[in-house]
Amino acid sequence: MAELGLNEHHQNEVINYMRFARSKRGLRLKTVDSCFQDLKDSRLVEETFTIDEVSDMLDGLQTVVHSEVESELINTAYTNVLLLRQIFSQAEKWYLKLQTDISELENRNLLEQVAEFEKAEFVSSNKKPNPEQVKPKLTPLHEGGSELLYKEIARLQEENEKLKTRLKTIEVQATSALDEKSKLEKALKDLQIFQEDKKLDTTQDISELENTMAALKFQFEKTLNDSSANQKSLEENLMTTKHELLKVQDQLAMAEKELEKKFQQTAAYRNMKEILTKKNEQIKELRNKLSKYEPDD
């Protein structure tokens, strides 16, 4: 099958539009054919005609066909504008600026590629169309935004999990620091008790013990200060991480609410349904008019 270089979803959208355009084109061609048939049935009732009569009939036919073709061209242009409006509206919801290259609309190679695609999709294959593709699907205008919301939610959830893991690590480090502090405080207390209970007989032993006590006390205070500083840093880091976690969770909740809000916006669906209803009524009315010109079998 010929391809247009689009993903499956967008290619199906193109197929739906081409199916719509083919149905409109076929209906308009039947109208043109009926113009010629009307001329045959209403004017070609004699065997011979003068030049003026033939010229008059051709002028009348030209006027009718010109009006039909002009009406279809205008309607096609307006329809394309509505299609572009839908696409641009979706882009503007996410602050995107799309650009078009009008010169590519007359690119013969691309036009032939589209023709091959239409031929492969509608003409060459005599199989029945897929009901899932034939059935019109009115996609909400915010569906593209919903897809981006899903990606943003996934990103926030991933970041949330990373912050939770980081928070657990910091909590383990903080607990370990508190345990170390408790052990040092207990060792100091035991040393002070030992100092009070121990009585030395010589001044030298007392001096050595005091020096040892001073050294141990200095080392303990240094370790205790380092532990307190480390604990303070861990507590600050823990608090910062908790704030970041809360912020990410808040963003995640807002994104989920925004996604739910977009799913609840069904005004575009109703508008498109009303447009399709009006189009169906117009087609039904036109078919009723055409049925008057078709011979009864």
Side-chain angles (χ1 to χ4, degrees):
M1 179 184 292
E3 298 291 341
L4 297 178
L6 303 174
N7 60 32
E8 183 179 358
H9 172 76
H10 289 157
Q11 183 157 302
N12 287 335
E13 292 296 320
V14 172
I15 292 173
N16 288 336
Y17 177 75
M18 294 181 71
R19 184 175 290 108
F20 166 76
R22 283 172 61 87
S23 65
K24 296 289 289 183
R25 184 169 67 237
L27 188 61
R28 188 57 62 182
L29 288 176
K30 287 184 178 180
T31 303
V32 174
D33 292 340
S34 68
C35 294
F36 284 87
Q37 189 63 41
D38 287 344
L39 177 64
K40 293 178 181 179
D41 296 339
S42 62
R43 301 295 300 275
L44 299 182
V45 294
E46 300 179 5
E47 295 182 357
T48 58
F49 296 93
T50 64
I51 295 178
D52 292 336
E53 290 174 338
V54 172
S55 177
D56 181 62
M57 287 188 291
L58 292 178
D59 289 341
L61 180 61
Q62 178 185 6
T63 301
V64 174
V65 173
H66 181 276
S67 177
E68 290 291 339
V69 173
E70 182 182 23
S71 176
E72 178 60 19
L73 291 175
I74 293 174
N75 183 70
T76 300
Y78 292 167
T79 302
N80 290 334
V81 171
L82 291 178
L83 184 64
L84 290 173
R85 179 178 178 272
Q86 291 184 29
I87 297 174
F88 292 156
S89 295
Q90 294 181 31
E92 289 175 2
K93 293 296 181 182
W94 295 99
Y95 306 100
L96 300 178
K97 294 183 178 179
L98 304 183
Q99 294 182 343
T100 58
D101 188 353
I102 303 300
S103 62
E104 290 296 320
L105 299 180
E106 297 182 351
N107 188 315
R108 179 55 54 184
N109 293 331
L110 294 179
L111 292 175
E112 291 177 355
Q113 183 179 355
V114 174
E116 289 295 329
F117 177 79
E118 182 181 20
K119 181 179 179 181
E121 184 65 29
F122 297 101
V123 181
S124 297
S125 59
N126 294 323
K127 61 181 182 179
K128 295 182 178 180
N130 188 351
E132 293 297 328
Q133 294 181 355
V134 173
K135 182 180 179 181
K137 298 179 179 179
L138 297 179
T139 304
L141 292 179
H142 305 289
E143 183 174 356
S146 299
E147 182 178 354
L148 293 178
L149 276 177
Y150 279 125
K151 293 181 180 179
E152 181 64 14
I153 289 174
R155 185 189 69 80
L156 290 174
Q157 288 177 340
E158 182 179 359
E159 186 176 352
N160 188 23
E161 292 299 326
K162 290 181 180 179
L163 287 175
K164 286 182 178 179
T165 303
R166 181 182 173 188
L167 181 61
K168 290 181 180 179
T169 303
I170 294 175
E171 288 177 346
V172 171
Q173 293 176 352
T175 303
S176 177
L178 289 174
D179 292 340
E180 184 179 356
K181 180 181 179 181
S182 299
K183 291 179 181 179
L184 289 173
E185 289 177 346
K186 186 177 183 300
L188 179 60
K189 185 177 181 180
D190 293 341
L191 190 59
Q192 289 175 346
I193 294 174
F194 175 79
Q195 182 182 10
E196 293 175 355
D197 295 340
K198 185 69 175 178
K199 295 180 180 179
L200 298 178
D201 296 335
T202 62
T203 304
Q204 183 178 0
D205 291 339
I206 294 175
S207 178
E208 290 178 357
L209 184 57
E210 288 178 350
N211 291 336
T212 302
M213 284 292 299
L216 288 173
K217 187 176 182 179
F218 174 78
Q219 182 64 30
F220 169 74
E221 290 177 350
K222 181 180 179 182
T223 304
L224 187 60
N225 290 334
D226 292 343
S227 177
S228 298
N230 188 25
Q231 181 184 358
K232 183 178 181 181
S233 176
L234 287 173
E235 289 176 351
E236 292 177 353
N237 196 3
L238 179 62
M239 186 62 66
T240 301
T241 304
K242 285 183 178 179
H243 288 165
E244 292 179 358
L245 179 60
L246 291 175
K247 182 180 179 180
V248 170
Q249 289 176 343
D250 185 60
Q251 292 177 353
L252 181 60
M254 290 179 63
E256 291 176 347
K257 289 181 180 179
E258 181 66 19
L259 178 60
E260 182 179 358
K261 179 180 178 182
K262 289 182 179 296
F263 277 120
Q264 293 175 354
Q265 293 176 350
T266 58
Y269 175 84
R270 293 194 297 269
N271 292 337
M272 291 299 297
K273 186 174 182 180
E274 291 177 359
I275 293 175
L276 284 179
T277 302
K278 292 179 180 179
K279 289 293 183 181
N280 289 333
E281 292 177 353
Q282 294 177 0
I283 292 175
K284 183 177 180 181
E285 182 180 353
L286 187 56
R287 286 177 175 173
N288 291 333
K289 293 180 179 180
L290 290 176
S291 61
K292 298 178 181 180
Y293 302 105
E294 294 179 355
D296 297 332
D297 294 335

